[in-house]
Amino acid sequence: MENPAALEAWLRLTLTDGVGSETGRRLLGAFGLPGLVLRAGRAALEALVTPRVANALCKPPGAAMRTHIDATLAWAEAPGNAIVTLADAHYPRALLNIPDPPLLLYVKGNIALLEANALAVVGSRNATAQGLAHAERFSEQLSHAGLAIVSGLALGIDAAAHVGGLRGPGSTVAVIGTGIDIDYPPRNRALAQRIAQEGCIVSEYPLGMPPLAANFPRRNRLISGLARAVLVVEAAAQSGSLITARMAAEQGRDVFAIPGSIHSPLAKGCHQLIRQGAKLIETTQDILEEMPPLFAAKGNASLASPDWQRSQPAGAEGVGGAGNDDAATALVMQAMGHDPVGTDTLGARCKLDAAQLSAILLALELAGRIEVLPGARYRRLA
């Protein structure tokens, strides 16, 4: 990480009115590190920026900027907080390859997740119950397969994806469109606190930045940029998720989409993506099979025999396990019968708690012994 004096120069540069990421990179390319930019002199600066911006860069920080810098440096000293600059070794390499990498990243939580093998999961804020179930289940399974789940901490699909990602060792990364000290949306405050403890939250915006509408489409380039591919779960024909998918394609990332009913407005965006070349996804295996080099290169879970089962909670080893776990799995299969059944009914029949039942159902689904139907119902397979 940068030392406080160097970090202060980065903050001065990025907080100067008129210096965005593009202008900042142009100045850095010409003069080197921010300290050299700030000492370059007005005449040299005016060759690259307007006289107003050059003048602002040459002056010492005003009272408001001084207060903001001091507060930001104090924030960065708190445990779990970090500010990563474009010149920092901790800056995620994946973002260095996108067209518009931010100069600074404000990070809360496990910074190592910014270098993890990752999949972005995005979709509608006004998702259906089925869409939420898909997002949570796919994210949980992929997290157990070793992928970090990246999303935007919005209501709906984003929140469900984060919840699923937190259930596996891959964990989750939330890319937000406000200052990292702002709780937005307020309904996701508890989820954000959990992600900060067990995953990672990242923002390119300075502390105190409110939820401005223009910032959210812009942050989508970081959601796709941090990921190997993007999965769109539900999206209307005009949707922010389609912006993320477009940015992913421009960045050379794969785009996946889950199809839905032809009568559902929230399936139209996914169907549009599929017509444009996105890969149609029905199971997590469809995604894993599209990404074999990633697993071979990193030594992650084998597609044939995923390692995630070794880190499942108690009761999850029912498929191929032993003792009480086998007995619980057999009980679930017997209670399921041959007709579709919901989890509430199944739990009542088996007398299992929700966590144990969920783990067993996940293992059975991945083993190909059951299938998931709309409405979060399950059915045995022959």
Side-chain angles (χ1 to χ4, degrees):
M1 307 294 175
E2 300 281 357
N3 62 56
L7 183 54
E8 178 172 336
W10 279 95
L11 291 171
R12 280 187 59 187
L13 177 66
T14 57
L15 292 172
T16 298
D17 187 31
V19 178
S21 58
E22 182 178 349
T23 300
R25 289 195 307 275
R26 188 165 65 246
L27 289 167
L28 293 172
F31 300 106
L33 293 174
L36 298 174
V37 174
L38 297 173
R39 295 193 295 270
R42 186 175 289 103
L45 290 170
E46 286 184 0
L48 296 170
V49 297
T50 66
R52 181 184 65 81
V53 173
N55 186 57
L57 287 169
C58 290
K59 293 193 306 184
M65 183 185 288
R66 181 74 262 164
T67 298
H68 190 113
I69 289 174
D70 290 343
T72 302
L73 292 174
W75 177 89
E77 289 295 320
N81 295 350
I83 300 175
V84 182
T85 73
L86 196 60
D88 198 305
H90 291 88
Y91 194 93
R93 286 169 291 177
L95 293 186
L96 293 174
N97 297 321
I98 68 173
D100 187 18
L103 302 182
L104 292 181
L105 292 173
Y106 299 79
V107 183
K108 195 173 189 67
N110 182 4
I111 195 171
L113 287 173
L114 298 183
E115 289 286 3
N117 293 327
L119 177 84
V121 179
V122 298
S124 174
R125 287 174 171 79
N126 302 306
T128 66
Q130 179 177 326
L132 295 174
H134 285 332
E136 190 170 329
R137 186 172 65 253
F138 271 69
S139 297
E140 179 177 358
Q141 293 177 4
L142 292 165
S143 178
H144 278 299
L147 289 171
I149 303 301
V150 181
S151 199
L153 198 59
L155 300 175
I157 296 298
D158 286 19
H162 290 307
V163 169
L166 286 169
R167 292 203 183 113
S171 195
T172 194
V173 176
V175 184
I176 61 174
T178 67
I180 204 164
D181 57 332
I182 303 295
D183 289 322
Y184 185 83
R187 281 168 53 187
N188 281 347
R189 181 179 292 114
L191 176 59
Q193 291 172 347
R194 187 180 169 199
I195 295 172
Q197 293 170 355
E198 303 174 36
C200 177
I201 302 177
V202 61
S203 174
E204 66 180 306
Y205 297 108
L207 301 187
M209 176 66 73
L212 303 178
N215 289 349
F216 291 92
R218 179 167 172 75
R219 66 88 197 261
N220 290 353
R221 81 193 192 287
L222 303 187
I223 294 176
S224 57
L226 285 169
R228 166 76 178 253
V230 173
L231 171 64
V232 182
V233 178
E234 281 187 335
Q238 302 295 326
S239 167
S241 301
L242 301 189
I243 297 175
T244 308
R246 175 177 56 78
M247 290 178 171
E250 292 172 353
Q251 294 165 352
R253 275 57 168 172
D254 287 329
V255 178
F256 306 135
I258 297 178
S261 168
I262 61 172
H263 303 293
S264 171
L266 292 179
K268 293 189 180 302
C270 291
H271 293 171
Q272 177 181 328
L273 290 173
I274 292 168
R275 286 194 298 270
Q276 293 171 349
K279 298 176 177 66
L280 186 153
I281 297 299
E282 294 179 317
T283 68
T284 53
Q285 191 69 15
D286 294 337
I287 294 173
L288 296 176
E289 288 175 351
E290 291 289 339
M291 305 168 72
L294 176 150
F295 290 95
K298 295 291 185 179
N300 283 347
S302 160
L303 299 185
S305 179
D307 294 336
W308 67 265
Q309 293 172 343
R310 289 197 285 271
S311 59
Q312 284 278 55
E317 297 88 351
V319 178
N324 291 335
D325 296 329
D326 276 342
T329 300
L331 178 62
V332 170
M333 291 295 286
Q334 182 179 10
M336 189 172 294
H338 293 281
D339 294 323
V341 61
T343 52
D344 290 343
T345 301
L346 197 54
R349 290 177 184 174
C350 299
K351 303 295 191 295
L352 296 173
D353 63 49
Q356 188 178 16
L357 178 61
S358 175
I360 291 172
L361 290 172
L362 175 61
L364 287 168
E365 183 185 356
L366 287 178
R369 295 177 63 185
I370 65 174
E371 66 176 343
V372 184
L373 302 174
R377 296 178 301 154
Y378 294 81
R379 180 170 62 190
R380 290 175 61 173
L381 295 174

